Amino acid sequence: MKSLTIHTLIITLFFFTIPTSFASPPRLEDVFSQCTTDFRPSNPNFPIQDFTYTQQTPSFLTILNNYIRNLRYFNNTTRKPVAIVAAADVTHIQAAITCAKRLSLQLRIRSGGHDYDGLSYSSTVEFVVLDMFNLRSIEFDPKLDTAWVQSGATLGEIYYGVANKSNDLRGFPAGVCPGLGAGGHFSGGGYGNMMRKYGLSVDNIIDAKIVDAKGRVLDRRSMGEDLFWALRGGGAASFCVVLAWKIKLVPVPGKVTVFNVETVGNRGGVDTTQLVVKWQEIADKIDNNLFIRLTLSTSNKTVKASFMGMFLGDSTKLLEIMNTDFPELGLNKTECLEMKWIESVLFWLSIPPGTAPTTVMLNRIPQKQIYLKRKSDYVQKPISRTGLDAIFKVLLENENVTMAWNPYGGRMSEIPSTETAFPHRAGNMFKIQYAANWFVPGEAVANECLSQTNRVFEAMSPYVSKNPREAFLNYRDVDIGRSLNSTYEEGKVYGEKYFKNNFERLVKVKSRVDPDNFFRYEQSIPVLSSH
């Protein structure tokens, strides 16, 4: 009897106890729900049935849609999960793992939902979504040096809490989008506009609480250093469910300075191409307190360059640095805005200063959903003026695509590539994000935008990293490879692009902690047994 799955057992009992030709086997969602309800231990204060949604639940689609950030993966033909478990207690996570395993269902783990290719809420096989949005507590230590952050907390909630608790003297290095969930964002690396000063989110994580494939709750000490290493940049969803991270808070000045200078054609007599040439010379070498993102797009048949920066200091010091290292941009005092670090979060959302309270970063549900595609690249050698002219020509031919160039250097170059699972360190000048957004349904529009993105991506191949052509895990992109049969060979295709030489170590950790490959999805780390 033990070898029977719960599904088989219930169906068997059903046919023995209901002698009618009209009997039909129970639905898989009911079997799953019954399994989780029967699971022990349970918390009577949080009965799991109150946090489980099936397709028969009136609010099912609302719960599913609340954390979908790419409409490409939410339509009438998209396979829906058997159930959503919106965990509010660690026992809910344990039950979801146990029952998904018994019923051979894949488990998709979702924290914030900014998952570009929808892997946390879609699948080609029967699956369950473990939604972490109820697990969002943030607990600060009395000295405000560290905090325990649950996976479902958003960056906006973390930033707002840190700033308020510390009277604006502490921050945390992570992304510029407040809606990102800590669970996935941190485990993929987590970068933002303080990375040249403090590194990535994973470089500032000192402990974690997880639930493994056996349902055990472990911390750094009990999970071991190998698994703790893998969780920091290797994508936790291949290994376990992260319940919470212990983060190390960092000092921020009372005032930071931000700016956003846009140029079309030329600025002060210096053409856009020359400004981009100069940006490449200085962006990864300039003062570590300064981060300048370059965004390239098109406007009225002309390439537009946007230089958006944040400096951890006042405008006087910033202008000294810019006049010395990047005088061609001609940044002037009136373009420099001094504000609290927490206020700069809104500036990076393109919210004009003083037009909204900082509480807007606590909003979890976006006002507008879009269709999108993202891709990534790393650049290790400066692109010549001739190369830039060719790139600009391609952008003008593919006007739906923008590129964001994010500078590395500083602290990023000091941390060894093997320190965490995140490998893209010294030797990288900047990372590129390719972005295409569209706002109407239909295959024609989608295919055109996807084709434009691919054309720009292909045109960039001479200028980016090679063997492998590196990619950033948090800019999830199934075009670079996907696993259909969970084999080592399939996993290596995308694994070496995301993790370079760290891939083999990740495979060894995976094979040890999840030998049955329960935690798997289209781009998960494979196990050695498939080698």
Side-chain angles (χ1 to χ4, degrees), residues 46-114:
F46 297 96
I48 194 168
Q49 57 266 36
D50 292 351
F51 299 91
T52 302
Y53 303 83
T54 70
Q55 294 183 30
Q56 309 306 310
T57 311
S59 56
F60 173 80
L61 286 179
T62 301
I63 296 295
L64 178 61
N65 189 36
N66 275 346
Y67 292 90
I68 286 178
R69 300 292 175 262
N70 188 351
L71 285 176
R72 288 175 62 205
Y73 302 102
F74 187 67
N75 55 51
N76 292 335
T77 60
T78 311
R79 183 192 288 268
K80 304 299 186 290
V82 169
I84 302 167
V85 178
D89 187 75
V90 67
T91 58
H92 298 172
I93 299 173
Q94 294 168 317
I97 291 172
T98 301
C99 295
K101 193 187 295 185
R102 282 184 190 167
L103 298 174
S104 299
L105 295 167
Q106 282 196 10
L107 188 71
R108 298 300 167 106
I109 309 156
R110 185 167 72 168
S111 50
H114 275 245

Side-chain angles (χ1 to χ4, degrees), residues 475-490:
Y475 291 173
R476 186 71 73 178
D477 179 11
V478 295
D479 298 347
I480 69 169
R482 65 167 75 202
S483 176
L484 300 174
N485 301 303
S486 302
T487 67
Y488 171 85
E489 288 73 20
E490 288 175 328

Side-chain angles (χ1 to χ4, degrees), residues 295-299 302-305 395 401-403:
T295 303
L296 296 172
S297 57
T298 57
S299 176
T302 310
V303 170
K304 179 170 77 172
L395 278 178
V401 182
T402 64
M403 285 195 282

